[in-house]
Amino acid sequence: MEKLVIEGGRPLTGAIKIHGAKNAALPILAAGMMAEGTIEISNVPDLSDIQVMLSILRALGCRTDHHEDTVTVNTSTAHSHHIPESLMSQMRSSIFLMGPLLARFGRVQVYQPGGCAIGERKIDLHLSGLIALGAEIEESGNTIVCTAKELRGAEIVLDFPSVGATENIMMAATMAKGLTTISNAAREPEIQDLQNFLNAMGAKIIGAGTDTITIEGVSELTPCTYRIIPDRIVAGTMMIAAAVTRGNVTLENVYPAHLTSAIHVLKRAGVQIAIHGDIINVSCLSRPKSVERIVTSPHPSFPTDLQSQIMVLLSLADGLSIVKETVFEGRFKHVDELSRMGADIRLDLNSAFVKGVPRLYGATVEATDLRAGAALVIAGLAAQGTTVIEQIHHIDRGYDRIELMLSRLGAHIHRVSPVPSE
């Protein structure tokens, strides 16, 4: 397995461009299945999750091409409603295809999805939403078969503002007869991006970004050309990396409005942030300050996807900070690894008590999931000595060659591939 090797202790300086959002690109690629013809999506990052999604689309009969940051998908040859289990097990986001395939073919066969092991992430809200639209669900072991002779609009109230369930229901409702309202909908920017893409294909959706989304069903969608929003989690990760290393970094191609809560927390920690349009400059020339309390919660609150990264900053801050995780109960797996690098963190149920230490030390650590891996990279950049990160395939799910991004900012980081045995 490949590893990342980091020589720490160097401030990050310079400018980088933030790539497109994985969590926007995946549902948008799935949604393209509902329009017969060729869609063209730009600002798509080259990530393992994206490659898995394109493999699934090809398994369904589509023709795909990924050149630089542009993906084209010809859906006119799609013929299958069955997503192979081997591909679904690699990526949780494959569940996004339930709504589009049900809308196009009236039938979809899937399996319980895979992905990062960060806690219980049931798909019951996806299924109950599709049932409300008129679908019938049959479950047998690990297999889920969903059928619908006709999808009909409905009033759907989500028990929790699930991003994936909101998006799946939106896509299915786009071609349902009548009006659908989703109450307690997730409000993430990626949902707004999906709405904009669907509307560009001819859908009639309003309300994304609020807690109520209204979809007026249409009979047909047509292919379009579309550009994905920048990745706010990658941007947030790089902002934290700049602060942790006492650097001065300029991020280009950023939507600051998507990062309001993260920017607020970083400013509370004493980080200097200047915003000019779609450019953010981050600098931190002195030791950061502790932050009394951070609580992760659905957007627009502090994102769970930045919880592990901000904990690295707090590990080196002056004082005691408390981080409460309310979204995924398994999202503290990075704590043991950070502790091996010298961090002083105590866990109590879903809260972490982080006491700042003068420095971290290089160690061999393991990325247990995508965002934990990003946190370990940040820790390695700040640590004294050499850090080796194993299981980096998790990191490759959400960061397009993270070592190249950081090398452009002066980091001493490189990828080591295993030597093939003779």
Side-chain angles (χ1 to χ4, degrees):
M1 302 293 284
E2 292 184 322
K3 304 176 183 180
L4 288 175
V5 179
I6 305 169
E7 298 294 333
R10 293 171 174 83
L12 298 183
T13 58
I16 56 167
K17 182 179 179 181
I18 300 301
H19 62 65
K22 170 189 85 115
N23 289 338
L26 291 172
I28 283 173
L29 288 171
M33 279 294 299
M34 294 190 292
E36 196 167 332
T38 300
I39 61 169
E40 182 178 288
I41 312 297
S42 61
N43 202 30
V44 179
D46 187 9
L47 308 172
S48 56
D49 271 12
I50 297 292
Q51 296 309 317
V52 172
M53 178 60 82
L54 295 180
S55 295
I56 291 173
L57 293 177
R58 288 192 293 271
L60 297 174
C62 300
R63 295 194 296 269
T64 73
D65 179 67
H66 192 175
H67 179 66
E68 294 182 346
D69 74 343
T70 300
V71 169
T72 56
V73 181
N74 184 340
T75 68
S76 60
T77 53
H79 55 79
S80 176
H81 60 263
H82 176 210
I83 303 175
E85 184 175 12
S86 60
L87 292 173
M88 281 211 73
S89 66
Q90 297 179 42
M91 184 184 66
R92 180 175 179 80
S93 300
S94 49
I95 201 71
F96 287 132
L97 280 153
M98 287 192 73
L101 289 175
L102 191 62
R104 178 161 176 181
F105 295 118
R107 183 180 177 88
V108 56
Q109 179 176 329
V110 298
Y111 303 87
Q112 289 289 345
C116 275
I118 56 174
E120 189 74 14
R121 295 196 288 176
K122 296 179 180 179
I123 61 169
D124 55 329
L125 294 181
H126 297 249
L127 300 181
S128 61
L130 296 176
I131 290 171
L133 294 172
E136 295 181 0
I137 308 289
E138 292 182 24
E139 295 187 61
S140 176
N142 200 36
T143 305
I144 303 170
V145 177
C146 188
T147 57
K149 293 181 180 179
E150 179 183 80
L151 292 173
R152 301 176 301 278
E155 294 184 6
I156 298 170
V157 180
L158 295 177
D159 294 336
F160 176 83
S162 160
V163 174
T166 299
E167 292 175 328
N168 231 338
I169 296 165
M170 276 177 65
M171 290 185 279
T174 293
M175 297 184 71
K177 287 188 176 181
L179 196 68
T180 297
T181 58
I182 307 172
S183 299
N184 197 29
R187 299 163 60 185
E188 273 69 6
E190 294 78 15
I191 290 173
Q192 297 176 55
D193 213 31
L194 177 60
Q195 171 184 279
N196 293 341
F197 172 71
L198 289 168
N199 285 345
M201 292 199 299
K204 297 180 179 178
I205 308 173
I206 59 172
T210 74
D211 61 3
T212 303
I213 299 174
T214 303
I215 306 110
E216 183 182 342
V218 297
S219 59
E220 184 182 23
L221 297 175
T222 55
C224 70
T225 298
Y226 193 78
R227 182 174 177 82
I228 300 291
I229 58 173
D231 196 310
R232 61 193 172 98
I233 303 303
V234 171
T237 300
M238 292 300 150
M239 292 170 71
I240 295 168
V244 166
T245 62
R246 310 276 181 90
N248 189 331
V249 171
T250 298
L251 306 180
E252 302 169 353
N253 188 40
V254 183
Y255 288 1
H258 294 172
L259 289 157
T260 302
S261 60
I263 290 170
H264 176 65
V265 167
L266 286 170
K267 286 183 174 180
R268 285 166 61 194
V271 180
Q272 290 77 51
I273 297 175
I275 300 172
H276 305 282
D278 66 348
I279 296 174
I280 297 180
N281 178 263
V282 183
S283 61
C284 187
L285 304 180
S286 59
R287 187 180 186 189
K289 298 178 292 186
S290 61
V291 178
E292 182 179 348
R293 186 175 175 84
I294 299 172
V295 180
T296 67
S297 197
H299 191 80
S301 298
F302 192 86
T304 181
D305 281 353
L306 287 177
Q307 177 256 101
S308 55
Q309 298 93 309
I310 201 68
M311 202 176 290
V312 180
L313 180 73
L314 301 177
S315 295
L316 292 166
D318 185 14
L320 178 68
S321 306
I322 301 173
V323 180
K324 183 176 182 179
E325 172 62 50
T326 71
V327 181
F328 294 125
E329 74 278 6
R331 203 147 221 178
F332 282 146
K333 293 185 177 181
H334 54 283
V335 169
D336 286 344
E337 304 301 297
L338 290 177
S339 297
R340 296 175 66 185
M341 300 178 71
D344 185 351
I345 305 171
R346 180 174 60 86
L347 297 180
D348 184 11
L349 299 177
N350 63 344
S351 293
F353 297 81
V354 188
K355 185 179 180 181
V357 296
R359 64 187 59 84
L360 298 175
Y361 298 93
T364 298
V365 291
E366 180 180 318
T368 54
D369 61 71
L370 168 55
R371 306 306 174 185
L376 295 176
V377 170
I378 295 172
L381 294 172
Q384 181 178 307
T386 303
T387 297
V388 178
I389 304 176
E390 300 176 333
Q391 302 295 326
I392 63 171
H393 61 279
H394 289 297
I395 302 173
D396 292 337
R397 291 186 49 238
Y399 298 85
D400 191 344
R401 304 294 290 196
I402 195 169
E403 72 275 14
L404 298 183
M405 280 192 283
L406 292 167
S407 293
R408 294 189 191 104
L409 299 174
H412 284 210
I413 175 173
H414 63 278
R415 182 179 295 248
V416 177
S417 299
V419 178
S421 57
E422 295 183 2

